[in-house]
PDB file of all heavy atoms in Angstrom:
ATOM      1  N   ASP A   1    -200.694 187.457 -89.589  1.00 50.00           N
ATOM      2  CA  ASP A   1    -200.254 188.686 -90.204  1.00 50.00           C
ATOM      3  C   ASP A   1    -199.434 189.525 -89.191  1.00 50.00           C
ATOM      4  O   ASP A   1    -198.525 190.254 -89.574  1.00 50.00           O
ATOM      5  CB  ASP A   1    -201.426 189.522 -90.701  1.00 50.00           C
ATOM      6  CG  ASP A   1    -202.380 189.910 -89.570  1.00 50.00           C
ATOM      7  OD1 ASP A   1    -202.848 189.025 -88.838  1.00 50.00           O
ATOM      8  OD2 ASP A   1    -202.645 191.146 -89.415  1.00 50.00           O
ATOM      9  N   LEU A   2    -199.725 189.379 -87.892  1.00 51.00           N
ATOM     10  CA  LEU A   2    -199.030 190.140 -86.872  1.00 51.00           C
ATOM     11  C   LEU A   2    -197.877 189.330 -86.288  1.00 51.00           C
ATOM     12  O   LEU A   2    -196.806 189.877 -86.003  1.00 51.00           O
ATOM     13  CB  LEU A   2    -199.977 190.510 -85.734  1.00 51.00           C
ATOM     14  CG  LEU A   2    -199.491 191.511 -84.718  1.00 51.00           C
ATOM     15  CD1 LEU A   2    -199.261 192.868 -85.390  1.00 51.00           C
ATOM     16  CD2 LEU A   2    -200.475 191.666 -83.575  1.00 51.00           C
ATOM     17  N   TYR A   3    -198.051 188.042 -86.169  1.00 52.00           N
ATOM     18  CA  TYR A   3    -197.046 187.212 -85.460  1.00 52.00           C
ATOM     19  C   TYR A   3    -196.269 186.301 -86.365  1.00 52.00           C
ATOM     20  O   TYR A   3    -195.462 185.499 -85.918  1.00 52.00           O
ATOM     21  CB  TYR A   3    -197.773 186.381 -84.402  1.00 52.00           C
ATOM     22  CG  TYR A   3    -198.474 187.238 -83.368  1.00 52.00           C
ATOM     23  CD1 TYR A   3    -199.843 187.280 -83.289  1.00 52.00           C
ATOM     24  CD2 TYR A   3    -197.750 188.048 -82.477  1.00 52.00           C
ATOM     25  CE1 TYR A   3    -200.509 188.056 -82.350  1.00 52.00           C
ATOM     26  CE2 TYR A   3    -198.401 188.838 -81.569  1.00 52.00           C
ATOM     27  CZ  TYR A   3    -199.783 188.831 -81.491  1.00 52.00           C
ATOM     28  OH  TYR A   3    -200.408 189.640 -80.584  1.00 52.00           O
ATOM     29  N   GLY A   4    -196.479 186.364 -87.685  1.00 52.00           N
ATOM     30  CA  GLY A   4    -195.725 185.529 -88.624  1.00 52.00           C
ATOM     31  C   GLY A   4    -196.049 184.062 -88.422  1.00 52.00           C
ATOM     32  O   GLY A   4    -197.199 183.649 -88.195  1.00 52.00           O
ATOM     33  N   GLU A   5    -195.043 183.230 -88.518  1.00 54.00           N
ATOM     34  CA  GLU A   5    -195.242 181.796 -88.428  1.00 54.00           C
ATOM     35  C   GLU A   5    -195.386 181.282 -87.010  1.00 54.00           C
ATOM     36  O   GLU A   5    -195.695 180.129 -86.778  1.00 54.00           O
ATOM     37  CB  GLU A   5    -194.061 181.084 -89.096  1.00 54.00           C
ATOM     38  CG  GLU A   5    -193.944 181.329 -90.612  1.00 54.00           C
ATOM     39  CD  GLU A   5    -195.267 180.918 -91.312  1.00 54.00           C
ATOM     40  OE1 GLU A   5    -195.757 179.799 -91.068  1.00 54.00           O
ATOM     41  OE2 GLU A   5    -195.744 181.731 -92.111  1.00 54.00           O
ATOM     42  N   HIS A   6    -195.153 182.152 -86.040  1.00 52.00           N
ATOM     43  CA  HIS A   6    -195.289 181.746 -84.653  1.00 52.00           C
ATOM     44  C   HIS A   6    -196.767 181.522 -84.317  1.00 52.00           C
ATOM     45  O   HIS A   6    -197.602 182.400 -84.510  1.00 52.00           O
ATOM     46  CB  HIS A   6    -194.712 182.840 -83.701  1.00 52.00           C
ATOM     47  CG  HIS A   6    -194.837 182.497 -82.252  1.00 52.00           C
ATOM     48  ND1 HIS A   6    -194.163 181.444 -81.684  1.00 52.00           N
ATOM     49  CD2 HIS A   6    -195.548 183.068 -81.283  1.00 52.00           C
ATOM     50  CE1 HIS A   6    -194.431 181.395 -80.396  1.00 52.00           C
ATOM     51  NE2 HIS A   6    -195.293 182.376 -80.120  1.00 52.00           N
ATOM     52  N   VAL A   7    -197.113 180.325 -83.813  1.00 51.00           N
ATOM     53  CA  VAL A   7    -198.462 180.076 -83.371  1.00 51.00           C
ATOM     54  C   VAL A   7    -198.413 179.714 -81.902  1.00 51.00           C
ATOM     55  O   VAL A   7    -197.398 179.222 -81.396  1.00 51.00           O
ATOM     56  CB  VAL A   7    -199.112 178.918 -84.201  1.00 51.00           C
ATOM     57  CG1 VAL A   7    -199.327 179.373 -85.640  1.00 51.00           C
ATOM     58  CG2 VAL A   7    -198.280 177.646 -84.122  1.00 51.00           C
ATOM     59  N   PHE A   8    -199.488 179.948 -81.179  1.00 49.00           N
ATOM     60  CA  PHE A   8    -199.427 179.795 -79.751  1.00 49.00           C
ATOM     61  C   PHE A   8    -200.838 179.562 -79.207  1.00 49.00           C
ATOM     62  O   PHE A   8    -201.812 179.967 -79.833  1.00 49.00           O
ATOM     63  CB  PHE A   8    -198.868 181.073 -79.103  1.00 49.00           C
ATOM     64  CG  PHE A   8    -199.560 182.322 -79.581  1.00 49.00           C
ATOM     65  CD1 PHE A   8    -200.633 182.861 -78.904  1.00 49.00           C
ATOM     66  CD2 PHE A   8    -199.143 182.980 -80.755  1.00 49.00           C
ATOM     67  CE1 PHE A   8    -201.281 183.981 -79.356  1.00 49.00           C
ATOM     68  CE2 PHE A   8    -199.801 184.122 -81.176  1.00 49.00           C
ATOM     69  CZ  PHE A   8    -200.860 184.611 -80.497  1.00 49.00           C
ATOM     70  N   PRO A   9    -200.962 178.944 -78.053  1.00 49.00           N
ATOM     71  CA  PRO A   9    -202.285 178.761 -77.432  1.00 49.00           C
ATOM     72  C   PRO A   9    -202.822 180.135 -77.032  1.00 49.00           C
ATOM     73  O   PRO A   9    -202.086 181.010 -76.610  1.00 49.00           O
ATOM     74  CB  PRO A   9    -201.967 177.893 -76.209  1.00 49.00           C
ATOM     75  CG  PRO A   9    -200.676 177.281 -76.449  1.00 49.00           C
ATOM     76  CD  PRO A   9    -199.914 178.245 -77.299  1.00 49.00           C
ATOM     77  N   LEU A  10    -204.103 180.292 -77.143  1.00 53.00           N
ATOM     78  CA  LEU A  10    -204.706 181.578 -76.785  1.00 53.00           C
ATOM     79  C   LEU A  10    -206.118 181.320 -76.208  1.00 53.00           C
ATOM     80  O   LEU A  10    -206.859 180.448 -76.671  1.00 53.00           O
ATOM     81  CB  LEU A  10    -204.886 182.427 -78.066  1.00 53.00           C
ATOM     82  CG  LEU A  10    -205.676 183.743 -77.911  1.00 53.00           C
ATOM     83  CD1 LEU A  10    -204.907 184.726 -77.066  1.00 53.00           C
ATOM     84  CD2 LEU A  10    -205.992 184.348 -79.268  1.00 53.00           C
ATOM     85  N   GLN A  11    -206.430 182.029 -75.116  1.00 59.00           N
ATOM     86  CA  GLN A  11    -207.767 181.977 -74.596  1.00 59.00           C
ATOM     87  C   GLN A  11    -208.143 183.405 -74.212  1.00 59.00           C
ATOM     88  O   GLN A  11    -207.452 184.063 -73.437  1.00 59.00           O
ATOM     89  CB  GLN A  11    -207.878 181.082 -73.361  1.00 59.00           C
ATOM     90  CG  GLN A  11    -209.282 181.012 -72.786  1.00 59.00           C
ATOM     91  CD  GLN A  11    -209.433 179.975 -71.705  1.00 59.00           C
ATOM     92  OE1 GLN A  11    -208.631 179.049 -71.606  1.00 59.00           O
ATOM     93  NE2 GLN A  11    -210.450 180.128 -70.927  1.00 59.00           N
ATOM     94  N   VAL A  12    -209.215 183.868 -74.768  1.00 66.00           N
ATOM     95  CA  VAL A  12    -209.679 185.231 -74.478  1.00 66.00           C
ATOM     96  C   VAL A  12    -211.189 185.309 -74.700  1.00 66.00           C
ATOM     97  O   VAL A  12    -211.723 184.594 -75.537  1.00 66.00           O
ATOM     98  CB  VAL A  12    -208.971 186.281 -75.394  1.00 66.00           C
ATOM     99  CG1 VAL A  12    -209.264 185.983 -76.877  1.00 66.00           C
ATOM    100  CG2 VAL A  12    -209.339 187.734 -75.042  1.00 66.00           C
ATOM    101  N   ALA A  13    -211.816 186.077 -73.869  1.00 71.00           N
ATOM    102  CA  ALA A  13    -213.241 186.304 -73.998  1.00 71.00           C
ATOM    103  C   ALA A  13    -213.476 187.758 -74.372  1.00 71.00           C
ATOM    104  O   ALA A  13    -212.859 188.683 -73.773  1.00 71.00           O
ATOM    105  CB  ALA A  13    -213.996 185.985 -72.715  1.00 71.00           C
ATOM    106  N   VAL A  14    -214.348 188.039 -75.336  1.00 77.00           N
ATOM    107  CA  VAL A  14    -214.563 189.395 -75.838  1.00 77.00           C
ATOM    108  C   VAL A  14    -216.087 189.634 -75.921  1.00 77.00           C
ATOM    109  O   VAL A  14    -216.826 188.790 -76.410  1.00 77.00           O
ATOM    110  CB  VAL A  14    -213.942 189.603 -77.239  1.00 77.00           C
ATOM    111  CG1 VAL A  14    -214.117 191.038 -77.681  1.00 77.00           C
ATOM    112  CG2 VAL A  14    -212.485 189.228 -77.229  1.00 77.00           C
ATOM    113  N   LEU A  15    -216.548 190.806 -75.441  1.00 82.00           N
ATOM    114  CA  LEU A  15    -217.951 191.193 -75.596  1.00 82.00           C
ATOM    115  C   LEU A  15    -217.959 192.393 -76.569  1.00 82.00           C
ATOM    116  O   LEU A  15    -217.322 193.393 -76.324  1.00 82.00           O
ATOM    117  CB  LEU A  15    -218.533 191.624 -74.251  1.00 82.00           C
ATOM    118  CG  LEU A  15    -219.969 192.188 -74.287  1.00 82.00           C
ATOM    119  CD1 LEU A  15    -220.945 191.140 -74.784  1.00 82.00           C
ATOM    120  CD2 LEU A  15    -220.382 192.701 -72.930  1.00 82.00           C
ATOM    121  N   LEU A  16    -218.729 192.219 -77.653  1.00 82.00           N
ATOM    122  CA  LEU A  16    -218.799 193.236 -78.697  1.00 82.00           C
ATOM    123  C   LEU A  16    -220.192 193.818 -78.836  1.00 82.00           C
ATOM    124  O   LEU A  16    -221.164 193.065 -78.681  1.00 82.00           O
ATOM    125  CB  LEU A  16    -218.384 192.620 -80.049  1.00 82.00           C
ATOM    126  CG  LEU A  16    -217.012 191.943 -80.152  1.00 82.00           C
ATOM    127  CD1 LEU A  16    -216.891 191.262 -81.533  1.00 82.00           C
ATOM    128  CD2 LEU A  16    -215.908 192.941 -79.939  1.00 82.00           C
ATOM    129  N   SER A  17    -220.272 195.084 -79.134  1.00 82.00           N
ATOM    130  CA  SER A  17    -221.524 195.678 -79.650  1.00 82.00           C
ATOM    131  C   SER A  17    -221.322 195.836 -81.148  1.00 82.00           C
ATOM    132  O   SER A  17    -220.614 196.732 -81.593  1.00 82.00           O
ATOM    133  CB  SER A  17    -221.796 197.020 -78.984  1.00 82.00           C
ATOM    134  OG  SER A  17    -222.970 197.627 -79.505  1.00 82.00           O
ATOM    135  N   ARG A  18    -221.940 194.950 -81.909  1.00 81.00           N
ATOM    136  CA  ARG A  18    -221.596 194.752 -83.299  1.00 81.00           C
ATOM    137  C   ARG A  18    -222.777 195.018 -84.228  1.00 81.00           C
ATOM    138  O   ARG A  18    -223.839 194.423 -84.041  1.00 81.00           O
ATOM    139  CB  ARG A  18    -221.122 193.287 -83.506  1.00 81.00           C
ATOM    140  CG  ARG A  18    -220.728 192.931 -84.889  1.00 81.00           C
ATOM    141  CD  ARG A  18    -220.279 191.462 -84.963  1.00 81.00           C
ATOM    142  NE  ARG A  18    -221.328 190.542 -84.617  1.00 81.00           N
ATOM    143  CZ  ARG A  18    -222.234 190.119 -85.478  1.00 81.00           C
ATOM    144  NH1 ARG A  18    -222.225 190.497 -86.743  1.00 81.00           N
ATOM    145  NH2 ARG A  18    -223.158 189.241 -85.084  1.00 81.00           N
ATOM    146  N   PRO A  19    -222.653 195.960 -85.209  1.00 83.00           N
ATOM    147  CA  PRO A  19    -223.728 196.087 -86.180  1.00 83.00           C
ATOM    148  C   PRO A  19    -224.010 194.717 -86.869  1.00 83.00           C
ATOM    149  O   PRO A  19    -223.083 193.958 -87.169  1.00 83.00           O
ATOM    150  CB  PRO A  19    -223.176 197.075 -87.207  1.00 83.00           C
ATOM    151  CG  PRO A  19    -222.179 197.889 -86.419  1.00 83.00           C
ATOM    152  CD  PRO A  19    -221.548 196.917 -85.466  1.00 83.00           C
ATOM    153  N   PHE A  20    -225.284 194.402 -87.084  1.00 83.00           N
ATOM    154  CA  PHE A  20    -225.628 193.053 -87.496  1.00 83.00           C
ATOM    155  C   PHE A  20    -225.035 192.672 -88.875  1.00 83.00           C
ATOM    156  O   PHE A  20    -224.900 191.474 -89.161  1.00 83.00           O
ATOM    157  CB  PHE A  20    -227.144 192.924 -87.572  1.00 83.00           C
ATOM    158  CG  PHE A  20    -227.791 193.600 -88.741  1.00 83.00           C
ATOM    159  CD1 PHE A  20    -228.062 192.936 -89.905  1.00 83.00           C
ATOM    160  CD2 PHE A  20    -228.143 194.969 -88.614  1.00 83.00           C
ATOM    161  CE1 PHE A  20    -228.673 193.587 -90.979  1.00 83.00           C
ATOM    162  CE2 PHE A  20    -228.731 195.598 -89.705  1.00 83.00           C
ATOM    163  CZ  PHE A  20    -228.977 194.923 -90.879  1.00 83.00           C
ATOM    164  N   TRP A  21    -224.634 193.676 -89.632  1.00 83.00           N
ATOM    165  CA  TRP A  21    -224.224 193.388 -91.019  1.00 83.00           C
ATOM    166  C   TRP A  21    -222.715 193.278 -91.144  1.00 83.00           C
ATOM    167  O   TRP A  21    -222.198 193.029 -92.260  1.00 83.00           O
ATOM    168  CB  TRP A  21    -224.727 194.458 -91.952  1.00 83.00           C
ATOM    169  CG  TRP A  21    -224.413 195.832 -91.497  1.00 83.00           C
ATOM    170  CD1 TRP A  21    -225.160 196.655 -90.726  1.00 83.00           C
ATOM    171  CD2 TRP A  21    -223.211 196.597 -91.770  1.00 83.00           C
ATOM    172  NE1 TRP A  21    -224.555 197.848 -90.496  1.00 83.00           N
ATOM    173  CE2 TRP A  21    -223.309 197.825 -91.103  1.00 83.00           C
ATOM    174  CE3 TRP A  21    -222.030 196.318 -92.482  1.00 83.00           C
ATOM    175  CZ2 TRP A  21    -222.351 198.799 -91.165  1.00 83.00           C
ATOM    176  CZ3 TRP A  21    -221.036 197.272 -92.533  1.00 83.00           C
ATOM    177  CH2 TRP A  21    -221.192 198.498 -91.876  1.00 83.00           C
ATOM    178  N   CYS A  22    -221.907 193.463 -90.084  1.00 86.00           N
ATOM    179  CA  CYS A  22    -220.483 193.458 -90.273  1.00 86.00           C
ATOM    180  C   CYS A  22    -219.747 192.602 -89.238  1.00 86.00           C
ATOM    181  O   CYS A  22    -220.338 192.204 -88.231  1.00 86.00           O
ATOM    182  CB  CYS A  22    -219.885 194.895 -90.295  1.00 86.00           C
ATOM    183  SG  CYS A  22    -219.695 195.655 -88.696  1.00 86.00           S
ATOM    184  N   TRP A  23    -218.487 192.330 -89.501  1.00 87.00           N
ATOM    185  CA  TRP A  23    -217.662 191.471 -88.662  1.00 87.00           C
ATOM    186  C   TRP A  23    -217.153 192.191 -87.449  1.00 87.00           C
ATOM    187  O   TRP A  23    -217.025 191.617 -86.366  1.00 87.00           O
ATOM    188  CB  TRP A  23    -216.516 190.954 -89.515  1.00 87.00           C
ATOM    189  CG  TRP A  23    -215.575 190.025 -88.822  1.00 87.00           C
ATOM    190  CD1 TRP A  23    -215.743 188.666 -88.642  1.00 87.00           C
ATOM    191  CD2 TRP A  23    -214.332 190.340 -88.199  1.00 87.00           C
ATOM    192  NE1 TRP A  23    -214.679 188.135 -87.967  1.00 87.00           N
ATOM    193  CE2 TRP A  23    -213.783 189.133 -87.679  1.00 87.00           C
ATOM    194  CE3 TRP A  23    -213.601 191.506 -88.065  1.00 87.00           C
ATOM    195  CZ2 TRP A  23    -212.531 189.064 -87.018  1.00 87.00           C
ATOM    196  CZ3 TRP A  23    -212.380 191.475 -87.402  1.00 87.00           C
ATOM    197  CH2 TRP A  23    -211.855 190.263 -86.899  1.00 87.00           C
ATOM    198  N   GLY A  24    -216.826 193.459 -87.573  1.00 89.00           N
ATOM    199  CA  GLY A  24    -216.213 194.211 -86.475  1.00 89.00           C
ATOM    200  C   GLY A  24    -217.264 194.723 -85.477  1.00 89.00           C
ATOM    201  O   GLY A  24    -218.397 194.294 -85.445  1.00 89.00           O
ATOM    202  N   ALA A  25    -216.838 195.696 -84.672  1.00 90.00           N
ATOM    203  CA  ALA A  25    -217.687 196.214 -83.619  1.00 90.00           C
ATOM    204  C   ALA A  25    -217.442 197.701 -83.396  1.00 90.00           C
ATOM    205  O   ALA A  25    -216.357 198.212 -83.649  1.00 90.00           O
ATOM    206  CB  ALA A  25    -217.413 195.466 -82.296  1.00 90.00           C
ATOM    207  N   GLU A  26    -218.500 198.420 -82.959  1.00 90.00           N
ATOM    208  CA  GLU A  26    -218.365 199.809 -82.650  1.00 90.00           C
ATOM    209  C   GLU A  26    -217.725 200.029 -81.288  1.00 90.00           C
ATOM    210  O   GLU A  26    -217.084 201.045 -81.019  1.00 90.00           O
ATOM    211  CB  GLU A  26    -219.721 200.484 -82.708  1.00 90.00           C
ATOM    212  CG  GLU A  26    -220.330 200.502 -84.094  1.00 90.00           C
ATOM    213  CD  GLU A  26    -221.603 201.343 -84.162  1.00 90.00           C
ATOM    214  OE1 GLU A  26    -222.177 201.603 -83.105  1.00 90.00           O
ATOM    215  OE2 GLU A  26    -221.982 201.727 -85.280  1.00 90.00           O
ATOM    216  N   ILE A  27    -218.020 199.127 -80.366  1.00 89.00           N
ATOM    217  CA  ILE A  27    -217.468 199.207 -79.017  1.00 89.00           C
ATOM    218  C   ILE A  27    -217.387 197.804 -78.428  1.00 89.00           C
ATOM    219  O   ILE A  27    -218.185 196.952 -78.835  1.00 89.00           O
ATOM    220  CB  ILE A  27    -218.318 200.153 -78.152  1.00 89.00           C
ATOM    221  CG1 ILE A  27    -217.633 200.529 -76.824  1.00 89.00           C
ATOM    222  CG2 ILE A  27    -219.693 199.578 -77.917  1.00 89.00           C
ATOM    223  CD1 ILE A  27    -218.299 201.657 -76.098  1.00 89.00           C
ATOM    224  N   GLY A  28    -216.443 197.580 -77.545  1.00 89.00           N
ATOM    225  CA  GLY A  28    -216.323 196.261 -76.959  1.00 89.00           C
ATOM    226  C   GLY A  28    -215.341 196.270 -75.817  1.00 89.00           C
ATOM    227  O   GLY A  28    -214.658 197.231 -75.541  1.00 89.00           O
ATOM    228  N   ALA A  29    -215.263 195.090 -75.146  1.00 89.00           N
ATOM    229  CA  ALA A  29    -214.335 194.929 -74.037  1.00 89.00           C
ATOM    230  C   ALA A  29    -213.927 193.490 -73.996  1.00 89.00           C
ATOM    231  O   ALA A  29    -214.638 192.598 -74.469  1.00 89.00           O
ATOM    232  CB  ALA A  29    -214.988 195.346 -72.702  1.00 89.00           C
ATOM    233  N   ASN A  30    -212.748 193.216 -73.416  1.00 88.00           N
ATOM    234  CA  ASN A  30    -212.312 191.832 -73.294  1.00 88.00           C
ATOM    235  C   ASN A  30    -212.061 191.463 -71.810  1.00 88.00           C
ATOM    236  O   ASN A  30    -212.239 192.307 -70.927  1.00 88.00           O
ATOM    237  CB  ASN A  30    -211.080 191.550 -74.138  1.00 88.00           C
ATOM    238  CG  ASN A  30    -209.832 192.280 -73.715  1.00 88.00           C
ATOM    239  OD1 ASN A  30    -209.712 192.733 -72.549  1.00 88.00           O
ATOM    240  ND2 ASN A  30    -208.883 192.447 -74.601  1.00 88.00           N
ATOM    241  N   ASP A  31    -211.728 190.198 -71.569  1.00 84.00           N
ATOM    242  CA  ASP A  31    -211.643 189.725 -70.203  1.00 84.00           C
ATOM    243  C   ASP A  31    -210.387 190.213 -69.508  1.00 84.00           C
ATOM    244  O   ASP A  31    -210.236 189.967 -68.311  1.00 84.00           O
ATOM    245  CB  ASP A  31    -211.765 188.199 -70.180  1.00 84.00           C
ATOM    246  CG  ASP A  31    -210.615 187.501 -70.947  1.00 84.00           C
ATOM    247  OD1 ASP A  31    -209.872 188.191 -71.643  1.00 84.00           O
ATOM    248  OD2 ASP A  31    -210.540 186.267 -70.851  1.00 84.00           O
ATOM    249  N   ALA A  32    -209.507 190.903 -70.177  1.00 86.00           N
ATOM    250  CA  ALA A  32    -208.382 191.548 -69.544  1.00 86.00           C
ATOM    251  C   ALA A  32    -208.723 192.965 -69.056  1.00 86.00           C
ATOM    252  O   ALA A  32    -207.862 193.644 -68.495  1.00 86.00           O
ATOM    253  CB  ALA A  32    -207.208 191.596 -70.488  1.00 86.00           C
ATOM    254  N   GLY A  33    -209.948 193.426 -69.322  1.00 86.00           N
ATOM    255  CA  GLY A  33    -210.355 194.737 -68.884  1.00 86.00           C
ATOM    256  C   GLY A  33    -210.084 195.867 -69.824  1.00 86.00           C
ATOM    257  O   GLY A  33    -210.086 197.036 -69.468  1.00 86.00           O
ATOM    258  N   VAL A  34    -209.763 195.503 -71.095  1.00 90.00           N
ATOM    259  CA  VAL A  34    -209.528 196.526 -72.155  1.00 90.00           C
ATOM    260  C   VAL A  34    -210.843 196.857 -72.826  1.00 90.00           C
ATOM    261  O   VAL A  34    -211.590 195.932 -73.204  1.00 90.00           O
ATOM    262  CB  VAL A  34    -208.529 196.032 -73.190  1.00 90.00           C
ATOM    263  CG1 VAL A  34    -208.267 197.098 -74.258  1.00 90.00           C
ATOM    264  CG2 VAL A  34    -207.185 195.646 -72.483  1.00 90.00           C
ATOM    265  N   ALA A  35    -211.135 198.129 -72.994  1.00 91.00           N
ATOM    266  CA  ALA A  35    -212.353 198.589 -73.679  1.00 91.00           C
ATOM    267  C   ALA A  35    -211.943 199.525 -74.835  1.00 91.00           C
ATOM    268  O   ALA A  35    -211.038 200.341 -74.642  1.00 91.00           O
ATOM    269  CB  ALA A  35    -213.320 199.274 -72.739  1.00 91.00           C
ATOM    270  N   ILE A  36    -212.603 199.370 -75.953  1.00 93.00           N
ATOM    271  CA  ILE A  36    -212.289 200.153 -77.122  1.00 93.00           C
ATOM    272  C   ILE A  36    -213.577 200.577 -77.842  1.00 93.00           C
ATOM    273  O   ILE A  36    -214.523 199.768 -77.949  1.00 93.00           O
ATOM    274  CB  ILE A  36    -211.404 199.410 -78.144  1.00 93.00           C
ATOM    275  CG1 ILE A  36    -210.155 198.840 -77.463  1.00 93.00           C
ATOM    276  CG2 ILE A  36    -211.016 200.317 -79.328  1.00 93.00           C
ATOM    277  CD1 ILE A  36    -209.322 197.949 -78.377  1.00 93.00           C
TER     278      ILE A  36
END
C-alpha cells in the first residue's frame, strides 16, 4: 500500500507493548532506535 509493486528484502526487529486483543501496540521500539 505504501510502496506499490516494488518489493524488496527487509530485516527489522521490533519490540511491542501490545494489548492482548489487538494487532497493533500502545508503545514500541525497533532495532534502528526508533520509539513510538
Side-chain angles (χ1 to χ4, degrees):
D1 63 304
L2 191 65
Y3 300 111
E5 294 303 312
H6 179 65
V7 294
F8 52 92
L10 172 69
Q11 181 172 340
V12 61
V14 183
L15 176 63
L16 304 173
S17 178
R18 180 179 63 84
F20 74 94
W21 52 267
C22 80
W23 181 83
E26 294 187 342
I27 192 169
N30 67 20
D31 61 352
V34 180
I36 307 174

